[in-house]
Amino acid sequence: MEKKESDIESLFEPQSIAVVGASQDPRKLGYRVLENIVHGGYQNPVYPINPRGGAILGVPVFPELEAVDRCIDTAVIVIPAAFVFESIRSCAAKGVKHAVIITSGFAEVGNSEEEKKIASYARDHGVRILGPNIFGIYSAAASLNATFSTGVVTPGTIAIITQSGALGASMIGKTAVENMGVSAMVSVGNKADIDESDLLEYLLGQERTKVILMYIEGVRNGERLLGTLTTATRAKPVIVIKAGRSAKGAVAAASHTGSLAGSDEVFDDLMKQCGAIRAETINEAFKWCRFLSHNPLPKGDHTVIITNGGGIGVMCADACEKYGVPLYDDPAALGETYADVVPEFGSKKNPIDLTGQATTAAFDDALTAAGKSADTDAVIALACEVAVFDPENLSHLIEKHCREYKRNGKALAFSFVGGERMEHCIRTYSAQGYPVFGDVYEAVSCVGALYSYHRYLSRRPDEEVTADIDLARIDETVRGVLVDKRNFVLSDEAREIMDAARIPMPTGRIAHSLDEAIQHSEEIGFPVVMKVVS
């Protein structure tokens, strides 16, 4: 049967949804998923499926999908792995567009054949599969929480794609703690069909999504992902966490979702090439997401540090070098801009040192001067709690300048160090989404992520990496390998491919006798290395 095209949009915005395996037992995932859908604000028809019938959470239950007399866009499957294939057959018969398979017990535990069987049947009958081995999908566009998470999701502008189901479910709780609004959160699990590229194609065109965060363990269709990522990053920032950096981590990834982690160095270079920003930790990624979603991209490379402490200013300068934040270094221009706000014994060089006698009023004047300066694109404001400092006035300072800087297209980050009053301010305003940090390196890393994305977008088309590769020559070599029914290339074939790809290699020859070996060695020039071609 010819595969029918299925619109990925209906996965995020289904007009109706069924829960196959809906349960009366609050301890079961089938109950949790249905509860989240019903209580999460989804306004379209919901059809719980369970042979026992009855009602769950006040919603009538149907014994099977075929018993529903209306069309179903999406079916969430929460039943044991042994029964999933029959459920997919029912989905196909019913004309379901998407099957969200939460069930685990497939490729991640070695049951690859069953997973392939399900994916092949679904593909041949026009059903797109998300999963298996996932926590579900959340979509603010449809007020749909079809996950088994326990947290409440706050709608917002950040989309999250995760290969780990449990990690994705816990991320929902973390977004609530961080007060981070989410536009979509999707688990891809084993990626039997729908993968990151499919989801990116939808999210890059969705207006409500401003930043995309991806957690990846392994990549299957790398060429397509790179192409989609390159397109996506031209539209909005994409932050990537890639697990499996170490040898043991790669093995753990394979047993988790059945994915091969691949070379971390290669992955890192490819992410830079297509403009994705790679984070080390979840905490770092979340902070970058929030910062990039609330701050405008800088218009230039002039960043200014404003501080009341020389030591923390030096630390900030170190952090700026580490994270690639360009500091403005024009003494004459800086001296003119801050002439009226820095005391005589302070410093008008960058970092701008207001000295330990600075109050919030002094910071207000300095931030106002920086905000008005055409030579300033981003500001990092650092405050140490000293005897004369008045933390109770920080609220006005933060709210006023965050609003003004955003309106003027300038980036702004705060970092405070001190006692309970300062810590309270950090907790309060960070929870409200303001760029307020308790550690200077956290603040600078966020500005660094912003500049990393700014540099990528500013790169001219003629600066893009291109390669003059003779694909026809490579194809010809590979065809010979396939004709011989080999799964490897010989050294001379590898050399042929490298030469066609314009990758320099040491000079080499193939010798069929000792005399030829000596002759080739003399032509190449000593020293030489001899290797058997077998």
Side-chain angles (χ1 to χ4, degrees):
M1 180 177 177
E2 185 179 350
K3 179 184 173 182
K4 296 180 293 184
E5 290 299 320
S6 181
D7 185 6
I8 198 76
E9 184 176 336
S10 62
L11 174 66
F12 289 88
E13 303 172 42
Q15 297 303 304
S16 57
I17 192 165
V19 180
V20 180
S23 174
Q24 295 275 9
D25 188 345
R27 296 170 298 178
K28 297 289 186 66
L29 295 185
Y31 178 91
R32 178 66 64 186
V33 172
L34 181 63
E35 181 183 43
N36 282 340
I37 293 172
V38 172
H39 294 165
Y42 183 67
Q43 297 297 311
N44 296 322
V46 182
Y47 305 110
I49 308 297
N50 189 308
R52 296 181 180 179
I56 304 174
L57 296 168
V59 183
V61 176
F62 292 81
E64 56 186 4
L65 278 171
E66 291 85 348
V68 180
D69 59 359
R70 295 184 182 180
C71 295
I72 299 173
D73 275 350
T74 297
V76 182
I77 298 175
V78 199
I79 55 177
F83 304 106
V84 171
F85 178 72
E86 286 304 316
S87 181
I88 293 299
R89 287 171 62 95
S90 297
C91 287
K94 185 62 182 172
V96 173
K97 296 176 182 177
H98 296 95
V100 177
I101 305 178
I102 289 178
T103 307
S104 57
F106 294 97
E108 79 281 2
V109 294
N111 191 13
S112 300
E113 290 306 313
E114 183 71 8
E115 184 175 306
K116 291 176 182 176
K117 174 184 172 183
I118 290 168
S120 177
Y121 186 90
R123 181 170 55 250
D124 291 342
H125 293 79
V127 182
R128 298 297 306 272
I129 289 178
L130 181 65
N133 186 29
I134 64 175
F135 80 95
I137 178 172
Y138 167 82
S139 173
S143 298
L144 173 65
N145 183 0
T147 75
F148 57 72
S149 71
T150 57
V152 177
V153 190
T154 302
T157 60
I158 297 168
I160 300 175
I161 301 171
T162 171
Q163 196 168 347
S164 170
L167 183 59
S170 64
M171 279 185 179
I172 288 182
K174 187 167 179 60
T175 60
V177 171
E178 296 280 347
N179 195 29
M180 192 170 87
V182 178
S183 60
M185 187 178 289
V186 194
S187 174
V188 292
N190 297 1
K191 296 186 280 192
D193 174 19
I194 292 173
D195 61 12
E196 295 93 348
S197 298
D198 295 301
L199 303 173
L200 280 170
E201 286 176 353
Y202 167 79
L203 293 170
L204 72 88
Q206 189 194 58
E207 288 189 11
R208 72 171 65 229
T209 296
K210 304 302 181 187
V211 180
I212 300 171
L213 169 60
M214 300 174 64
Y215 168 80
I216 300 175
E217 290 181 357
V219 177
R220 292 183 180 172
N221 191 340
E223 187 174 351
R224 184 184 175 215
L225 176 61
L226 292 177
T228 311
L229 263 176
T230 301
T231 302
T233 53
R234 285 291 170 184
K236 55 194 68 174
V238 178
I239 296 168
V240 174
I241 306 173
K242 166 66 164 60
R245 284 176 174 267
S246 64
K248 290 190 179 296
V251 172
S255 64
H256 179 210
T257 55
S259 296
L260 296 178
S263 167
D264 188 69
E265 292 82 1
V266 172
F267 182 87
D268 198 53
D269 287 341
L270 290 173
M271 290 300 100
K272 291 175 183 176
Q273 180 178 312
C274 62
I277 312 167
R278 190 171 180 186
E280 292 273 352
T281 66
I282 294 173
N283 187 55
E284 183 177 63
F286 270 47
K287 290 186 183 304
W288 289 1
C289 283
R290 278 183 30 169
F291 192 78
L292 267 66
S293 66
H294 287 97
N295 275 273
L297 283 173
K299 298 173 183 176
D301 293 337
H302 294 170
T303 303
V304 172
I305 301 169
I306 298 174
T307 179
N308 68 343
I312 196 172
V314 173
M315 287 180 63
C316 188
D318 288 343
C320 286
E321 183 172 316
K322 176 180 179 178
Y323 291 108
V325 176
L327 293 179
Y328 186 39
D329 188 21
D330 185 333
L334 289 168
E336 183 178 345
T337 300
Y338 300 100
D340 297 331
V341 298
V342 177
E344 290 185 6
F345 48 93
S347 174
K348 301 181 187 68
K349 296 179 180 179
N350 199 6
I352 307 300
D353 189 356
L354 303 178
T355 76
Q357 72 173 19
T359 62
T360 52
F363 270 97
D364 189 14
D365 291 340
L367 286 168
T368 298
K372 291 179 178 179
S373 171
D375 295 323
T376 303
D377 303 301
V379 172
I380 304 169
L382 317 171
C384 297
E385 187 178 13
V386 293
V388 299
F389 195 74
D390 44 342
E392 61 273 8
N393 295 323
L394 278 175
S395 57
H396 172 71
L397 187 80
I398 294 167
E399 293 173 5
K400 171 188 174 182
H401 289 288
C402 282
R403 184 172 57 250
E404 290 181 351
Y405 272 61
K406 190 172 184 178
R407 185 171 60 244
N408 295 328
K410 298 177 186 283
L412 175 62
F414 292 94
S415 180
F416 302 141
V417 180
E420 180 55 37
R421 291 186 300 173
M422 292 290 257
E423 288 296 326
H424 175 73
C425 178
I426 293 166
R427 289 193 301 269
T428 300
Y429 280 91
S430 178
Q432 293 178 24
Y434 286 95
V436 179
F437 304 90
D439 181 85
V440 66
Y441 273 75
E442 285 186 352
V444 177
S445 79
C446 290
V447 180
L450 193 71
Y451 265 107
S452 177
Y453 187 55
H454 164 70
R455 282 191 291 270
Y456 171 71
L457 292 181
S458 301
R459 195 166 66 192
R460 299 191 307 274
D462 60 0
E463 293 178 318
E464 298 291 344
V465 177
T466 58
D468 180 20
I469 299 175
D470 189 345
L471 294 176
R473 189 171 155 198
I474 293 174
D475 288 342
E476 183 180 351
T477 303
V478 172
R479 273 197 298 271
V481 176
L482 296 176
V483 168
D484 291 345
K485 296 182 179 179
R486 287 185 276 121
N487 60 358
F488 61 92
V489 295
L490 300 173
S491 61
D492 59 317
E493 293 168 334
R495 180 177 293 278
E496 185 74 15
I497 291 172
M498 297 290 274
D499 187 58
R502 308 294 189 262
I503 297 175
M505 292 280 289
T507 303
R509 303 276 197 280
I510 294 180
H512 298 87
S513 67
L514 179 58
D515 290 339
E516 281 190 20
I518 294 172
Q519 180 184 342
H520 292 328
S521 298
E522 290 174 343
E523 291 173 355
I524 293 170
F526 293 95
V528 296
V529 174
M530 188 167 68
K531 181 181 182 299
V532 173
V533 176
S534 173

